[in-house]
Amino acid sequence: MPRNTGTAAQSPPENRTPHSPRPPHGYRAVFAVREFRAVFAAHLLSLLGVVVSELALTVLVYGLTGSPLLSALTFALGFLPYLVGGTLLAGIADRYPARRVLVTCDLVCAACVAVMVLPGTPVGGLLALRCLVAAVSPVFTGTRMAALTEILGDGDRYVLGRSLLRIVSQSAVLIGFGAGGMLLAVVTPRGAITITAVTFLCSAALLRFGTRARPARAGAGAEAGGGTLLKESLTGARDLLGNRRIRALLLLFWVPPLFLVAPVALAAPYADEIGVGSAALGLLMCAMPVGRIAAELYVGTALSPRLRSSIVLPAAVLQLLPLVLYALRPAVAPAAVVLALAGVGGAYVIGLDKWFVAAVPDSLRGRAMTVLTAGMMTLQGVGMALAGLAAEFFPAHHVVAGAGALGVLCLLPLVREARRTAPAGHDPAETRDEVPPGTRETAATEARDGAVTELRDGARTEVRDEADHHMTSG
């Protein structure tokens, strides 16, 4: 009589034959999910709309006013409202169903862009509409990031899905403004803005008909009561920032970009300093995104989840070290190599994404992703402003080198804090990936309230090892 090996829970033998096709792995596994394909296409269209509208609106405002200041302010307004929208409106991401939030955000952006097209819209109105679009952006991005854990699970598929969306965003830096410039060569700025309204509407349609309706995340939690949206948003931000583990991870996302934007913000002054033209300026602007894209593709494809986890903290620090070489005032080619190396280090966020999802309770996940996005964009704007201010008093190459050195010094205590707050005996890289989203729902629901309670008490939240959380609402 065969001995019972305790494998009754395994898949039936007929599903494990040698002739069965192997399930897709890596990025292919992500694209195999139909809902993700819809989200990916919608992201591509929304990003195209944002990039083209930013460029076209800047040109339109300059044509109406002849003011370089107002033209530059139009572009800068893309950063400033992130803090307001990401802080005061973050509760939307958990309070309402994700699909409804995403579609509504796209429709709001389409409506704002449509009003921009009207010939009678004054410059002040154009700037106000630009602010509104920017205020909506962190809510849209945070909701989409949280919804991905429902679509892909919170394991390796989620990490690679986020990586693909980042690669598209980085690629937009390389080709988006070039495509927008070509578009403005054949149509007027208002005509280009009209096209962006269409991209937002197409994105809304893809999300509406390409993703499933799910209930709101906060609906099952203790915070779903009658609190106001503002209270829920601020309470969520306080809970997140009040938790040592989550705060350390947020700062690991936020601090490197604060310093990495220095060479981008000062690319034009540095090009003038070393006496090169606009073509060289374009090379300096593109070098870091190229390094980032190449590294993300390699890390996501070639490295295991354990290795991605192991490089997070070293890469977070080392990515800023190449900027110190700007002290030597390198020529264009060496400077481009330096920037590409800095971009390569940015792949640390692939592993960090997984840590962050594991640390945040399901009921706070939408707010966490919104706060994460808002903080990152706001600090990039602050970093650009500080780099420009410093360049008023020091040469551009000294400012960039100083940003690299100061950034490393700021990251060292953050790395130490991340190590101290890591849950004992848990390797984030070993989180189980292959369980489909929506399983073990009861365990996840029971663990969620405990995790939120730990946040309330200010205690360190333990990563949900036994529950292996997967979002079941959103």
Side-chain angles (χ1 to χ4, degrees), residues 6-271:
T7 57
Q10 293 181 358
S11 301
E14 60 269 23
N15 294 332
R16 300 171 63 86
T17 64
H19 302 289
S20 299
R22 293 182 62 187
H25 294 280
Y27 289 118
R28 289 178 56 201
V30 176
F31 276 118
V33 180
R34 183 187 63 82
E35 284 189 277
F36 177 78
R37 294 196 298 269
V39 172
F40 182 84
H43 175 63
L44 199 58
L45 287 169
S46 291
L47 193 61
L48 177 63
V50 169
V51 170
V52 174
S53 65
E54 283 178 349
L55 183 59
L57 187 59
T58 300
V59 173
L60 177 61
V61 170
Y62 184 73
L64 292 174
T65 65
S67 169
L69 174 61
L70 288 177
S71 178
L73 182 62
T74 303
F75 195 82
L77 286 175
F79 289 97
L80 301 179
Y82 263 84
L83 180 61
V84 176
T87 302
L88 303 184
L89 304 178
I92 292 175
D94 289 318
R95 188 170 189 169
Y96 301 102
R99 187 175 72 175
R100 186 192 307 171
V101 173
L102 294 173
V103 172
T104 301
C105 287
D106 267 336
L107 293 178
V108 169
C109 291
C112 290
V113 171
V115 177
M116 292 178 188
V117 174
L118 300 177
T121 306
V123 172
L126 293 174
L127 297 179
L129 291 167
R130 177 75 180 95
C131 284
L132 182 56
V133 171
V136 168
S137 292
V139 177
F140 179 89
T141 304
T143 303
R144 183 187 62 210
M145 289 166 61
L148 277 182
T149 61
E150 215 169 31
I151 294 171
L152 299 174
D154 57 6
D156 201 48
R157 280 185 292 263
Y158 167 79
V159 171
L160 295 179
R162 282 273 294 133
S163 173
L164 282 170
L165 297 186
R166 273 195 304 269
I167 288 171
V168 170
S169 299
Q170 291 290 321
S171 300
V173 177
L174 298 176
I175 64 176
F177 288 114
M182 293 174 62
L183 183 63
L184 289 173
V186 295
V187 300
T188 64
R190 292 187 189 276
I193 294 174
T194 302
I195 294 174
T196 67
V198 176
T199 66
F200 283 125
L201 291 174
C202 290
S203 173
L206 280 168
L207 293 169
R208 172 61 181 81
F209 299 107
T211 60
R212 291 196 297 112
R214 297 176 174 90
R217 273 173 296 276
E223 296 300 313
T228 65
L229 174 62
L230 179 61
K231 180 181 178 181
E232 287 182 13
S233 301
L234 294 177
T235 300
R238 184 194 65 196
D239 293 339
L240 293 167
L241 295 174
N243 178 268
R244 283 186 63 189
R245 175 64 174 170
I246 296 175
R247 182 172 64 246
L249 298 182
L250 282 171
L251 289 172
L252 281 175
F253 276 111
W254 291 346
V255 172
L258 172 66
F259 298 98
L260 281 172
V261 296
V264 177
L266 300 180
Y270 184 71

Side-chain angles (χ1 to χ4, degrees), residues 389-405:
L389 178 63
E392 292 289 328
F393 304 97
F394 305 98
H397 66 287
H398 286 166
V399 174
V400 175

Side-chain angles (χ1 to χ4, degrees), residues 143-470:
T143 303
R144 183 187 62 210
M145 289 166 61
L148 277 182
T149 61
E150 215 169 31
I151 294 171
L152 299 174
D154 57 6
D156 201 48
R157 280 185 292 263
Y158 167 79
V159 171
L160 295 179
R162 282 273 294 133
S163 173
L164 282 170
L165 297 186
R166 273 195 304 269
I167 288 171
V168 170
S169 299
Q170 291 290 321
S171 300
V173 177
L174 298 176
I175 64 176
F177 288 114
M182 293 174 62
L183 183 63
L184 289 173
V186 295
V187 300
T188 64
R190 292 187 189 276
I193 294 174
T194 302
I195 294 174
T196 67
V198 176
T199 66
F200 283 125
L201 291 174
C202 290
S203 173
L206 280 168
L207 293 169
R208 172 61 181 81
F209 299 107
T211 60
R212 291 196 297 112
R214 297 176 174 90
R217 273 173 296 276
E223 296 300 313
T228 65
L229 174 62
L230 179 61
K231 180 181 178 181
E232 287 182 13
S233 301
L234 294 177
T235 300
R238 184 194 65 196
D239 293 339
L240 293 167
L241 295 174
N243 178 268
R244 283 186 63 189
R245 175 64 174 170
I246 296 175
R247 182 172 64 246
L249 298 182
L250 282 171
L251 289 172
L252 281 175
F253 276 111
W254 291 346
V255 172
L258 172 66
F259 298 98
L260 281 172
V261 296
V264 177
L266 300 180
Y270 184 71
D272 182 62
E273 186 179 298
I274 61 177
V276 296
S278 57
L281 174 61
L283 179 62
L284 294 176
M285 295 289 286
C286 292
M288 195 179 296
V290 167
R292 176 70 176 270
I293 292 170
E296 285 235 15
L297 286 172
Y298 176 78
V299 171
T301 303
L303 301 189
S304 67
R306 179 186 292 276
L307 283 176
R308 291 184 212 132
S309 180
S310 67
I311 68 172
V312 169
L313 299 180
V317 176
L318 294 177
Q319 66 176 323
L320 289 167
L321 278 180
L323 299 187
V324 178
L325 295 176
Y326 257 72
L328 303 176
R329 202 183 180 200
V332 173
V337 172
V338 165
L339 295 176
L341 288 174
V344 166
Y348 80 99
V349 297
I350 295 183
L352 188 58
D353 274 335
K354 196 165 186 176
W355 294 3
F356 190 67
V357 169
V360 176
D362 288 351
S363 59
L364 286 174
R365 195 166 281 175
R367 279 167 282 185
M369 300 302 184
T370 304
V371 169
L372 167 61
T373 303
M376 189 178 300
M377 294 299 293
T378 300
L379 287 180
Q380 285 186 64
V382 171
M384 289 183 176
L386 291 176
L389 178 63
E392 292 289 328
F393 304 97
F394 305 98
H397 66 287
H398 286 166
V399 174
V400 175
L406 183 59
V408 169
L409 293 177
C410 291
L411 278 168
L412 290 176
L414 285 181
V415 167
R416 188 162 53 248
E417 178 71 359
R419 292 187 186 279
R420 287 175 176 171
T421 58
H426 178 79
D427 182 355
E430 293 180 342
T431 302
R432 287 165 286 186
D433 303 321
E434 302 305 324
V435 182
T439 59
R440 290 187 296 275
E441 296 175 3
T442 302
T445 302
E446 291 173 353
R448 175 167 50 203
D449 291 338
V452 175
T453 301
E454 287 187 63
L455 284 172
R456 288 278 184 271
D457 295 338
R460 188 179 75 186
T461 302
E462 297 295 319
V463 176
R464 296 149 298 175
D465 228 355
E466 288 82 11
D468 191 19
H469 275 182
H470 291 284

